[in-house]
Amino acid sequence: MKAKHLIALVLLAIFAALLPESASAAAGVELLRTSPTAGGGQAYSLTLQALGLITVLTLLPAILLSMTAFIRIAIVLGLLRQALGAAQTPPNQVLVGLALFLTFFVMGPTFNQVQAVAVSPYVEEKIPFEVAIERAVVPMKKFMLAQTRESDIKVFMELANTAPVQTALDTPLMVLLPSFMTSELRTAFTIGFLVYIPFLVIDLIVASVLMSMGMMMVSPVVISVPFKFMLFVLVDGWALTIGSLASSFAPALP
């Protein structure tokens, strides 16, 4: 139940932050009512919350790709498979599953913080829905800011004509999300380049040996793939790659 509350609140937080106009329009529908609170805020009815959850569930894949460690992990694992020359082994389902669970592992501290500061107080009815949304967005922003280069944020701030912010946490999500994704793509390809080098050396050695032996008709790939597998197994490549990926993420900002 806690996991369901956590996912629902994070999704609603992103939905409310990115689409404020849609949320306010939905609140104006007669059957979906809101009521003012004593502090001047708005208390959303259960019907409106359910509608928002159902709507935002369609954005779950994009949210997972945009705001978590999934981008870097999935790209590096894909490049590793290409470097091994193993075609479709491991299959896509295995790589995606591994990337997904590794993402949950990396994002664990962030999700725990969201659980502590937003989900639990909201479920226990200690804070209103709006406050829970604001609190849930903060840990996600901290994680993304820790992985995002300042140069990427600056580029998108200029493209969006956004005024300078006082603190990093004040960066709008519409600027932070593409900046984070751009930084993750660059980091993933940098790691992928380092992963490729040992296997590229094996390909060059095998091609040179075959050419010197006059075996022009033999494909170097057929000979090099077993040696790549042997090297990868001897160095415990999967544990090394996954451990390096997990440790490559900077800790979230305090």
PDB file of all heavy atoms in Angstrom, residues 127-153:
ATOM      1  N   ILE A 127      -1.136  16.632   6.666  1.00  0.00           N
ATOM      2  CA  ILE A 127      -0.932  17.763   5.776  1.00  0.00           C
ATOM      3  C   ILE A 127      -1.943  17.667   4.646  1.00  0.00           C
ATOM      4  O   ILE A 127      -2.382  16.566   4.284  1.00  0.00           O
ATOM      5  CB  ILE A 127       0.509  17.796   5.203  1.00  0.00           C
ATOM      6  CG1 ILE A 127       0.817  16.493   4.446  1.00  0.00           C
ATOM      7  CG2 ILE A 127       1.521  18.053   6.298  1.00  0.00           C
ATOM      8  CD1 ILE A 127       2.165  16.512   3.759  1.00  0.00           C
ATOM      9  N   PRO A 128      -2.323  18.812   4.041  1.00  0.00           N
ATOM     10  CA  PRO A 128      -3.260  18.767   2.908  1.00  0.00           C
ATOM     11  C   PRO A 128      -2.585  18.272   1.644  1.00  0.00           C
ATOM     12  O   PRO A 128      -1.358  18.148   1.557  1.00  0.00           O
ATOM     13  CB  PRO A 128      -3.703  20.224   2.772  1.00  0.00           C
ATOM     14  CG  PRO A 128      -2.589  21.017   3.365  1.00  0.00           C
ATOM     15  CD  PRO A 128      -2.017  20.180   4.473  1.00  0.00           C
ATOM     16  N   PHE A 129      -3.397  18.020   0.639  1.00  0.00           N
ATOM     17  CA  PHE A 129      -2.903  17.464  -0.608  1.00  0.00           C
ATOM     18  C   PHE A 129      -1.911  18.395  -1.295  1.00  0.00           C
ATOM     19  O   PHE A 129      -0.897  17.948  -1.835  1.00  0.00           O
ATOM     20  CB  PHE A 129      -4.101  17.184  -1.526  1.00  0.00           C
ATOM     21  CG  PHE A 129      -3.733  16.549  -2.831  1.00  0.00           C
ATOM     22  CD1 PHE A 129      -3.252  15.258  -2.880  1.00  0.00           C
ATOM     23  CD2 PHE A 129      -3.876  17.241  -4.028  1.00  0.00           C
ATOM     24  CE1 PHE A 129      -2.927  14.659  -4.079  1.00  0.00           C
ATOM     25  CE2 PHE A 129      -3.549  16.655  -5.231  1.00  0.00           C
ATOM     26  CZ  PHE A 129      -3.072  15.360  -5.255  1.00  0.00           C
ATOM     27  N   GLU A 130      -2.194  19.705  -1.278  1.00  0.00           N
ATOM     28  CA  GLU A 130      -1.313  20.655  -1.964  1.00  0.00           C
ATOM     29  C   GLU A 130       0.078  20.688  -1.340  1.00  0.00           C
ATOM     30  O   GLU A 130       1.094  20.756  -2.035  1.00  0.00           O
ATOM     31  CB  GLU A 130      -1.913  22.064  -1.938  1.00  0.00           C
ATOM     32  CG  GLU A 130      -3.233  22.194  -2.675  1.00  0.00           C
ATOM     33  CD  GLU A 130      -4.408  21.759  -1.813  1.00  0.00           C
ATOM     34  OE1 GLU A 130      -4.172  21.296  -0.669  1.00  0.00           O
ATOM     35  OE2 GLU A 130      -5.551  21.868  -2.276  1.00  0.00           O
ATOM     36  N   VAL A 131       0.137  20.633  -0.014  1.00  0.00           N
ATOM     37  CA  VAL A 131       1.434  20.638   0.672  1.00  0.00           C
ATOM     38  C   VAL A 131       2.197  19.354   0.368  1.00  0.00           C
ATOM     39  O   VAL A 131       3.418  19.367   0.173  1.00  0.00           O
ATOM     40  CB  VAL A 131       1.235  20.823   2.184  1.00  0.00           C
ATOM     41  CG1 VAL A 131       2.573  20.727   2.921  1.00  0.00           C
ATOM     42  CG2 VAL A 131       0.558  22.146   2.473  1.00  0.00           C
ATOM     43  N   ALA A 132       1.484  18.237   0.315  1.00  0.00           N
ATOM     44  CA  ALA A 132       2.138  16.968  -0.003  1.00  0.00           C
ATOM     45  C   ALA A 132       2.751  16.995  -1.394  1.00  0.00           C
ATOM     46  O   ALA A 132       3.847  16.478  -1.615  1.00  0.00           O
ATOM     47  CB  ALA A 132       1.122  15.825   0.114  1.00  0.00           C
ATOM     48  N   ILE A 133       2.053  17.612  -2.346  1.00  0.00           N
ATOM     49  CA  ILE A 133       2.584  17.726  -3.707  1.00  0.00           C
ATOM     50  C   ILE A 133       3.861  18.554  -3.711  1.00  0.00           C
ATOM     51  O   ILE A 133       4.869  18.171  -4.310  1.00  0.00           O
ATOM     52  CB  ILE A 133       1.526  18.351  -4.635  1.00  0.00           C
ATOM     53  CG1 ILE A 133       0.425  17.345  -4.933  1.00  0.00           C
ATOM     54  CG2 ILE A 133       2.161  18.817  -5.950  1.00  0.00           C
ATOM     55  CD1 ILE A 133      -0.673  17.885  -5.802  1.00  0.00           C
ATOM     56  N   GLU A 134       3.844  19.687  -3.031  1.00  0.00           N
ATOM     57  CA  GLU A 134       5.023  20.547  -2.999  1.00  0.00           C
ATOM     58  C   GLU A 134       6.210  19.834  -2.366  1.00  0.00           C
ATOM     59  O   GLU A 134       7.347  19.953  -2.824  1.00  0.00           O
ATOM     60  CB  GLU A 134       4.693  21.824  -2.228  1.00  0.00           C
ATOM     61  CG  GLU A 134       3.653  22.712  -2.911  1.00  0.00           C
ATOM     62  CD  GLU A 134       3.285  23.913  -2.068  1.00  0.00           C
ATOM     63  OE1 GLU A 134       3.815  24.019  -0.932  1.00  0.00           O
ATOM     64  OE2 GLU A 134       2.455  24.729  -2.510  1.00  0.00           O
ATOM     65  N   ARG A 135       5.948  19.079  -1.311  1.00  0.00           N
ATOM     66  CA  ARG A 135       7.034  18.366  -0.648  1.00  0.00           C
ATOM     67  C   ARG A 135       7.556  17.212  -1.503  1.00  0.00           C
ATOM     68  O   ARG A 135       8.752  16.913  -1.480  1.00  0.00           O
ATOM     69  CB  ARG A 135       6.556  17.821   0.696  1.00  0.00           C
ATOM     70  CG  ARG A 135       6.270  18.887   1.743  1.00  0.00           C
ATOM     71  CD  ARG A 135       5.926  18.233   3.072  1.00  0.00           C
ATOM     72  NE  ARG A 135       5.648  19.219   4.116  1.00  0.00           N
ATOM     73  CZ  ARG A 135       5.370  18.900   5.383  1.00  0.00           C
ATOM     74  NH1 ARG A 135       5.310  17.621   5.745  1.00  0.00           N
ATOM     75  NH2 ARG A 135       5.137  19.840   6.270  1.00  0.00           N
ATOM     76  N   ALA A 136       6.681  16.554  -2.253  1.00  0.00           N
ATOM     77  CA  ALA A 136       7.099  15.408  -3.062  1.00  0.00           C
ATOM     78  C   ALA A 136       8.001  15.825  -4.220  1.00  0.00           C
ATOM     79  O   ALA A 136       8.878  15.063  -4.629  1.00  0.00           O
ATOM     80  CB  ALA A 136       5.880  14.665  -3.597  1.00  0.00           C
ATOM     81  N   VAL A 137       7.799  17.021  -4.752  1.00  0.00           N
ATOM     82  CA  VAL A 137       8.588  17.468  -5.895  1.00  0.00           C
ATOM     83  C   VAL A 137      10.028  17.802  -5.491  1.00  0.00           C
ATOM     84  O   VAL A 137      10.956  17.605  -6.270  1.00  0.00           O
ATOM     85  CB  VAL A 137       7.913  18.688  -6.557  1.00  0.00           C
ATOM     86  CG1 VAL A 137       8.820  19.303  -7.620  1.00  0.00           C
ATOM     87  CG2 VAL A 137       6.587  18.281  -7.185  1.00  0.00           C
ATOM     88  N   VAL A 138      10.219  18.265  -4.274  1.00  0.00           N
ATOM     89  CA  VAL A 138      11.543  18.738  -3.845  1.00  0.00           C
ATOM     90  C   VAL A 138      12.606  17.642  -3.920  1.00  0.00           C
ATOM     91  O   VAL A 138      13.689  17.863  -4.487  1.00  0.00           O
ATOM     92  CB  VAL A 138      11.465  19.353  -2.435  1.00  0.00           C
ATOM     93  CG1 VAL A 138      12.861  19.681  -1.916  1.00  0.00           C
ATOM     94  CG2 VAL A 138      10.603  20.608  -2.456  1.00  0.00           C
ATOM     95  N   PRO A 139      12.399  16.437  -3.350  1.00  0.00           N
ATOM     96  CA  PRO A 139      13.450  15.404  -3.464  1.00  0.00           C
ATOM     97  C   PRO A 139      13.757  15.009  -4.904  1.00  0.00           C
ATOM     98  O   PRO A 139      14.919  14.738  -5.236  1.00  0.00           O
ATOM     99  CB  PRO A 139      12.853  14.221  -2.683  1.00  0.00           C
ATOM    100  CG  PRO A 139      11.863  14.820  -1.767  1.00  0.00           C
ATOM    101  CD  PRO A 139      11.283  15.977  -2.510  1.00  0.00           C
ATOM    102  N   MET A 140      12.738  14.988  -5.766  1.00  0.00           N
ATOM    103  CA  MET A 140      12.986  14.668  -7.165  1.00  0.00           C
ATOM    104  C   MET A 140      13.840  15.739  -7.824  1.00  0.00           C
ATOM    105  O   MET A 140      14.743  15.440  -8.613  1.00  0.00           O
ATOM    106  CB  MET A 140      11.657  14.508  -7.912  1.00  0.00           C
ATOM    107  CG  MET A 140      10.729  13.436  -7.361  1.00  0.00           C
ATOM    108  SD  MET A 140      11.462  11.789  -7.385  1.00  0.00           S
ATOM    109  CE  MET A 140      11.682  11.535  -9.135  1.00  0.00           C
ATOM    110  N   LYS A 141      13.567  16.993  -7.494  1.00  0.00           N
ATOM    111  CA  LYS A 141      14.382  18.081  -8.029  1.00  0.00           C
ATOM    112  C   LYS A 141      15.827  17.978  -7.550  1.00  0.00           C
ATOM    113  O   LYS A 141      16.776  18.203  -8.314  1.00  0.00           O
ATOM    114  CB  LYS A 141      13.797  19.433  -7.610  1.00  0.00           C
ATOM    115  CG  LYS A 141      12.728  19.975  -8.534  1.00  0.00           C
ATOM    116  CD  LYS A 141      12.405  21.418  -8.172  1.00  0.00           C
ATOM    117  CE  LYS A 141      11.516  22.065  -9.206  1.00  0.00           C
ATOM    118  NZ  LYS A 141      11.281  23.500  -8.919  1.00  0.00           N
ATOM    119  N   LYS A 142      16.009  17.641  -6.276  1.00  0.00           N
ATOM    120  CA  LYS A 142      17.368  17.518  -5.735  1.00  0.00           C
ATOM    121  C   LYS A 142      18.149  16.439  -6.462  1.00  0.00           C
ATOM    122  O   LYS A 142      19.330  16.617  -6.784  1.00  0.00           O
ATOM    123  CB  LYS A 142      17.298  17.214  -4.242  1.00  0.00           C
ATOM    124  CG  LYS A 142      16.860  18.381  -3.376  1.00  0.00           C
ATOM    125  CD  LYS A 142      16.871  17.991  -1.904  1.00  0.00           C
ATOM    126  CE  LYS A 142      16.479  19.170  -1.014  1.00  0.00           C
ATOM    127  NZ  LYS A 142      16.480  18.798   0.424  1.00  0.00           N
ATOM    128  N   PHE A 143      17.489  15.313  -6.732  1.00  0.00           N
ATOM    129  CA  PHE A 143      18.177  14.239  -7.449  1.00  0.00           C
ATOM    130  C   PHE A 143      18.582  14.688  -8.843  1.00  0.00           C
ATOM    131  O   PHE A 143      19.722  14.474  -9.277  1.00  0.00           O
ATOM    132  CB  PHE A 143      17.278  13.007  -7.537  1.00  0.00           C
ATOM    133  CG  PHE A 143      17.836  11.922  -8.410  1.00  0.00           C
ATOM    134  CD1 PHE A 143      18.807  11.058  -7.930  1.00  0.00           C
ATOM    135  CD2 PHE A 143      17.399  11.773  -9.723  1.00  0.00           C
ATOM    136  CE1 PHE A 143      19.336  10.056  -8.742  1.00  0.00           C
ATOM    137  CE2 PHE A 143      17.924  10.775 -10.533  1.00  0.00           C
ATOM    138  CZ  PHE A 143      18.891   9.923 -10.042  1.00  0.00           C
ATOM    139  N   MET A 144      17.658  15.312  -9.572  1.00  0.00           N
ATOM    140  CA  MET A 144      17.957  15.728 -10.939  1.00  0.00           C
ATOM    141  C   MET A 144      19.035  16.812 -10.969  1.00  0.00           C
ATOM    142  O   MET A 144      19.914  16.796 -11.829  1.00  0.00           O
ATOM    143  CB  MET A 144      16.678  16.205 -11.626  1.00  0.00           C
ATOM    144  CG  MET A 144      15.696  15.095 -11.926  1.00  0.00           C
ATOM    145  SD  MET A 144      14.288  15.627 -12.951  1.00  0.00           S
ATOM    146  CE  MET A 144      13.415  16.642 -11.776  1.00  0.00           C
ATOM    147  N   LEU A 145      18.978  17.740 -10.033  1.00  0.00           N
ATOM    148  CA  LEU A 145      19.984  18.802  -9.994  1.00  0.00           C
ATOM    149  C   LEU A 145      21.374  18.254  -9.730  1.00  0.00           C
ATOM    150  O   LEU A 145      22.370  18.776 -10.248  1.00  0.00           O
ATOM    151  CB  LEU A 145      19.606  19.834  -8.929  1.00  0.00           C
ATOM    152  CG  LEU A 145      18.443  20.764  -9.277  1.00  0.00           C
ATOM    153  CD1 LEU A 145      17.990  21.537  -8.044  1.00  0.00           C
ATOM    154  CD2 LEU A 145      18.844  21.735 -10.383  1.00  0.00           C
ATOM    155  N   ALA A 146      21.454  17.193  -8.919  1.00  0.00           N
ATOM    156  CA  ALA A 146      22.759  16.612  -8.611  1.00  0.00           C
ATOM    157  C   ALA A 146      23.399  15.953  -9.825  1.00  0.00           C
ATOM    158  O   ALA A 146      24.627  15.828  -9.889  1.00  0.00           O
ATOM    159  CB  ALA A 146      22.620  15.599  -7.476  1.00  0.00           C
ATOM    160  N   GLN A 147      22.597  15.535 -10.794  1.00  0.00           N
ATOM    161  CA  GLN A 147      23.124  14.867 -11.993  1.00  0.00           C
ATOM    162  C   GLN A 147      23.225  15.795 -13.197  1.00  0.00           C
ATOM    163  O   GLN A 147      23.775  15.392 -14.226  1.00  0.00           O
ATOM    164  CB  GLN A 147      22.212  13.679 -12.377  1.00  0.00           C
ATOM    165  CG  GLN A 147      21.627  12.882 -11.241  1.00  0.00           C
ATOM    166  CD  GLN A 147      22.639  12.318 -10.290  1.00  0.00           C
ATOM    167  OE1 GLN A 147      23.735  11.931 -10.707  1.00  0.00           O
ATOM    168  NE2 GLN A 147      22.315  12.274  -9.012  1.00  0.00           N
ATOM    169  N   THR A 148      22.703  17.001 -13.103  1.00  0.00           N
ATOM    170  CA  THR A 148      22.593  17.890 -14.260  1.00  0.00           C
ATOM    171  C   THR A 148      23.730  18.898 -14.282  1.00  0.00           C
ATOM    172  O   THR A 148      24.069  19.487 -13.249  1.00  0.00           O
ATOM    173  CB  THR A 148      21.248  18.640 -14.240  1.00  0.00           C
ATOM    174  OG1 THR A 148      20.184  17.691 -14.111  1.00  0.00           O
ATOM    175  CG2 THR A 148      21.052  19.431 -15.515  1.00  0.00           C
ATOM    176  N   ARG A 149      24.293  19.110 -15.446  1.00  0.00           N
ATOM    177  CA  ARG A 149      25.363  20.095 -15.598  1.00  0.00           C
ATOM    178  C   ARG A 149      24.781  21.497 -15.654  1.00  0.00           C
ATOM    179  O   ARG A 149      23.725  21.731 -16.248  1.00  0.00           O
ATOM    180  CB  ARG A 149      26.159  19.815 -16.879  1.00  0.00           C
ATOM    181  CG  ARG A 149      26.921  18.503 -16.851  1.00  0.00           C
ATOM    182  CD  ARG A 149      27.578  18.223 -18.203  1.00  0.00           C
ATOM    183  NE  ARG A 149      28.406  17.034 -18.163  1.00  0.00           N
ATOM    184  CZ  ARG A 149      27.944  15.792 -18.302  1.00  0.00           C
ATOM    185  NH1 ARG A 149      26.654  15.605 -18.496  1.00  0.00           N
ATOM    186  NH2 ARG A 149      28.760  14.761 -18.250  1.00  0.00           N
ATOM    187  N   GLU A 150      25.505  22.423 -15.052  1.00  0.00           N
ATOM    188  CA  GLU A 150      25.045  23.804 -15.036  1.00  0.00           C
ATOM    189  C   GLU A 150      24.946  24.375 -16.442  1.00  0.00           C
ATOM    190  O   GLU A 150      24.064  25.193 -16.720  1.00  0.00           O
ATOM    191  CB  GLU A 150      25.983  24.656 -14.180  1.00  0.00           C
ATOM    192  CG  GLU A 150      25.964  24.309 -12.696  1.00  0.00           C
ATOM    193  CD  GLU A 150      26.849  25.239 -11.888  1.00  0.00           C
ATOM    194  OE1 GLU A 150      27.398  26.196 -12.499  1.00  0.00           O
ATOM    195  OE2 GLU A 150      26.994  25.004 -10.684  1.00  0.00           O
ATOM    196  N   SER A 151      25.845  23.954 -17.323  1.00  0.00           N
ATOM    197  CA  SER A 151      25.814  24.462 -18.700  1.00  0.00           C
ATOM    198  C   SER A 151      24.524  24.066 -19.406  1.00  0.00           C
ATOM    199  O   SER A 151      23.959  24.855 -20.171  1.00  0.00           O
ATOM    200  CB  SER A 151      27.019  23.933 -19.482  1.00  0.00           C
ATOM    201  OG  SER A 151      27.035  22.513 -19.490  1.00  0.00           O
ATOM    202  N   ASP A 152      24.026  22.852 -19.145  1.00  0.00           N
ATOM    203  CA  ASP A 152      22.773  22.418 -19.768  1.00  0.00           C
ATOM    204  C   ASP A 152      21.587  23.219 -19.229  1.00  0.00           C
ATOM    205  O   ASP A 152      20.691  23.604 -19.995  1.00  0.00           O
ATOM    206  CB  ASP A 152      22.548  20.929 -19.516  1.00  0.00           C
ATOM    207  CG  ASP A 152      23.578  20.065 -20.230  1.00  0.00           C
ATOM    208  OD1 ASP A 152      24.027  20.466 -21.321  1.00  0.00           O
ATOM    209  OD2 ASP A 152      23.941  19.006 -19.700  1.00  0.00           O
ATOM    210  N   ILE A 153      21.591  23.468 -17.927  1.00  0.00           N
ATOM    211  CA  ILE A 153      20.515  24.277 -17.353  1.00  0.00           C
ATOM    212  C   ILE A 153      20.541  25.683 -17.934  1.00  0.00           C
ATOM    213  O   ILE A 153      19.497  26.260 -18.258  1.00  0.00           O
ATOM    214  CB  ILE A 153      20.638  24.321 -15.815  1.00  0.00           C
ATOM    215  CG1 ILE A 153      20.439  22.919 -15.230  1.00  0.00           C
ATOM    216  CG2 ILE A 153      19.625  25.291 -15.219  1.00  0.00           C
ATOM    217  CD1 ILE A 153      20.572  22.869 -13.727  1.00  0.00           C
TER     218      ILE A 153
END
